[in-house]
Amino acid sequence: MDKLCLDDLRPDQLRGKTALVRVDFNVPMGEGGEIADDTRITSALPTIRFLIDHGVRAVLVSHLGRPEGKWDTSMSLSPVARRLEERLGSEVLFVDVPLDGETRKRIDGYADRNVFLLENIRFYPGEESNDPGFSEILARLGDFYVNDAFGTAHRAHASTAGVTDFLSPAVSGKLMEWELEALPRALAFHEKPYVAIVGGGKIKGKIDMIRYLSMRVDAILIGGAMANTFFAARKYPVGSSKLDKKRIDTARDLIKEAEETGCKLLLPQDCVVTERLEADADRKVVNADGIPDGWMAVDIGPLTVETFREWILSARTIVWNGPMGVFEVEPFSRGTMEIAKLVAEATRKGSFSLLGGGDSIAALRKAGLEGDISHVSTGGGAVLEYLAGKVLPGVEALTEREGYRNGGVR
Ligand code: ADP
Ligand code: MG
């Protein structure tokens, strides 16, 4: 995966040019339509600043929410344009009229502007269907293409993939480049012992990742609601725990497959159980095979933390996705917080750690340990697909460094 990045471009390939830039401004919006968290906006600033500093005009493209091909102003990127302007400290021209063959001419007409943001690209049905006609219209808006939207790289859409059929070179932006440098340390270049920690709400969407990782890692430490499905596969009673009933057989297969590949699949030995998902509800610690009727497992227990500790502290590579329990409710956050501390400790001692997943990041923030992990990935779904060994279309579509050189362009 040796793809071109911004630094590969010569000054004459940059100065005076216009870049079509795919960013991920799919920010969480609050009830009143305000931006709840602008991390995704600030994360794109290094790329935008690089372009401005090198004399490039940037036409930014993003989606927000799921308007499904219809013009729906409740999902307009207009508030994002204003926030970007504040964060960037320079003007951003919001292009709120539908794209057509004349859009480029209009953009070129604003000779004194450097940054443009198009209206939500998913207002166009051609975006998600990766329509070639729509890709071509998009491609006309730039002289070259930059993809900085790692979070959307697992989608083959017009603005993430199709557009590169009509526009080259296609290079990674700064955020994308940072992800693509770190991620191979989880798959291609990992040091052993290698431990994966997998938890979270559902086993669905994580099966392929567990399967792929089990061929590489020495141990998979399982926690979260996912563990309950594995308990059921072992025929333990699970009380009223959150369970993925349809995937009990899959869990059984995963246990068997891990045994065959020599990967240790460690389930919690004990759990914190409660009758209600509330901070003031009764709770107790029980053995994993002793969850009482009417009680639900909401966190890993202290014995499990002890066992996981040894694996985590002896690991040289650690991948973590999914909280160990319902960390949002204080008394049930302990297991997740303890594991976060252990991963941070291993990292401080020189191990490489990678954490991905929206809720996992929230848990890490709650632990105040965001800066103590080697790489906190910005791509939720994209990182799961990467760790499942799948090709990311948005990465695949970027120009190959080798072929580019051989083509004599440099
Ligand atoms: P990520 O976003 O990091 O990939 P997930 O979305 O898979 O993580 O899972 C996070 C959610 O799982 C959290 O909201 C958490 O409350 C929930 N969760 C974790 N453990 C349990 C459990 N034992 N029972 C119910 N929900 C759980
Ligand atoms: Mg989540």
Side-chain angles (χ1 to χ4, degrees):
M1 263 203 320
D2 204 11
K3 300 296 190 176
L4 279 191
C5 63
L6 282 169
D7 288 320
D8 289 317
L9 301 178
R10 293 183 314 256
D12 65 287
Q13 291 177 294
L14 296 164
R15 191 150 298 280
K17 299 280 199 290
T18 300
L20 181 76
V21 189
R22 181 51 157 106
V23 288
D24 181 1
F25 286 166
N26 185 28
V27 291
M29 303 295 279
E31 304 250 315
E34 77 287 357
I35 297 167
D37 178 350
D38 67 1
T39 309
R40 288 188 167 163
I41 298 174
T42 52
S43 300
L45 292 178
T47 292
I48 301 169
R49 292 212 170 105
F50 177 97
L51 292 169
I52 296 174
D53 291 349
H54 287 78
V56 181
R57 284 148 65 87
V59 177
L60 308 174
V61 186
S62 177
H63 73 282
L64 177 68
R66 299 173 182 271
E68 305 202 330
K70 290 190 198 71
W71 206 271
D72 175 347
T73 46
S74 74
M75 282 176 252
S76 172
L77 279 169
S78 148
V80 171
R82 289 196 297 272
R83 181 66 64 90
L84 174 63
E85 210 159 52
E86 279 168 33
R87 295 293 190 211
L88 190 61
S90 62
E91 278 185 295
V92 174
L93 197 114
F94 184 53
V95 183
D96 61 352
V97 287
L99 301 180
D100 57 30
E102 300 296 300
T103 309
R104 176 67 189 264
K105 223 189 267 170
R106 264 186 253 124
I107 285 175
D108 287 348
Y110 288 99
D112 58 335
R113 302 295 182 95
N114 288 320
V115 184
F116 301 81
L117 174 63
L118 302 186
E119 181 54 290
N120 193 341
I121 202 70
R122 287 198 188 160
F123 286 179
Y124 302 89
E127 164 65 357
E128 292 190 71
S129 67
N130 198 8
D131 177 68
F134 182 63
S135 297
E136 201 194 342
I137 289 178
L138 260 183
R140 282 189 219 155
L141 300 180
D143 302 314
F144 66 98
Y145 172 77
V146 180
N147 192 345
D148 211 21
F150 179 71
T152 324
H154 56 312
R155 307 277 181 225
H157 294 167
S159 71
T160 61
V163 69
T164 63
D165 288 340
F166 305 95
L167 191 58
S168 77
V171 309
S172 57
K174 295 288 172 189
L175 180 65
M176 177 76 97
E177 191 189 333
W178 173 77
E179 293 277 6
L180 298 183
E181 268 168 18
L183 293 176
R185 294 185 70 177
L187 291 186
F189 310 118
H190 57 267
E191 273 184 63
K192 289 195 154 234
Y194 186 174
V195 170
I197 308 164
V198 186
K202 287 189 216 130
I203 189 168
K204 186 175 173 246
K206 301 192 179 183
I207 297 163
D208 291 341
M209 176 180 73
I210 296 175
R211 192 162 270 149
Y212 198 70
L213 284 176
S214 73
M215 293 185 277
R216 288 172 171 69
V217 305
D218 298 292
I220 303 183
L221 317 181
I222 304 262
M226 171 178 301
N228 302 330
T229 307
F230 282 94
F231 291 154
R234 286 227 170 130
K235 299 203 159 50
Y236 295 174
V238 293
S240 55
S241 302
K242 185 169 171 183
L243 190 66
D244 198 345
K245 280 206 186 89
K246 279 196 230 136
R247 292 187 173 77
I248 297 174
D249 286 340
T250 310
R252 197 171 292 126
D253 291 344
L254 289 173
I255 295 175
K256 212 169 102 217
E257 283 169 33
E259 270 166 17
E260 284 162 10
T261 55
C263 162
K264 286 225 163 4
L265 203 135
L266 277 86
L267 299 183
Q269 297 145 280
D270 58 349
C271 344
V272 176
V273 294
T274 182
E275 285 176 303
R276 286 178 298 120
L277 251 183
E278 275 150 47
D280 63 352
D282 280 348
R283 58 179 191 274
K284 57 186 178 184
V285 174
V286 299
N287 281 336
D289 59 1
I291 300 173
D293 233 20
W295 292 66
M296 58 183 123
V298 286
D299 196 10
I300 56 174
L303 194 61
T304 306
V305 172
E306 276 314 302
T307 307
F308 286 7
R309 170 199 297 273
E310 285 183 30
W311 282 97
I312 294 169
L313 293 183
S314 65
R316 292 292 301 161
T317 307
I318 302 164
V319 165
W320 181 10
N321 167 262
M324 297 289 98
V326 185
F327 72 97
E328 298 93 336
V329 183
E330 197 49 49
F332 315 136
S333 68
R334 195 155 169 192
T336 305
M337 298 300 116
E338 292 296 321
I339 296 302
K341 279 186 220 154
L342 291 168
V343 176
E345 188 181 336
T347 310
R348 278 194 291 272
K349 290 199 297 188
S351 300
F352 172 78
S353 55
L354 167 78
L355 178 134
D359 295 292
S360 305
I361 294 174
L364 191 66
R365 274 199 196 139
K366 184 174 170 151
L369 293 168
E370 236 183 324
D372 298 78
I373 302 292
S374 313
H375 186 86
V376 180
S377 177
T378 57
V383 100
L384 293 188
E385 301 239 335
Y386 180 85
L387 293 174
K390 293 182 193 161
V391 169
L392 303 178
V395 175
E396 191 66 7
L398 298 176
T399 309
E400 204 72 46
R401 185 171 278 147
E402 212 37 50
Y404 193 67
R405 279 200 190 124
N406 293 344
V409 185
R410 284 164 73 103

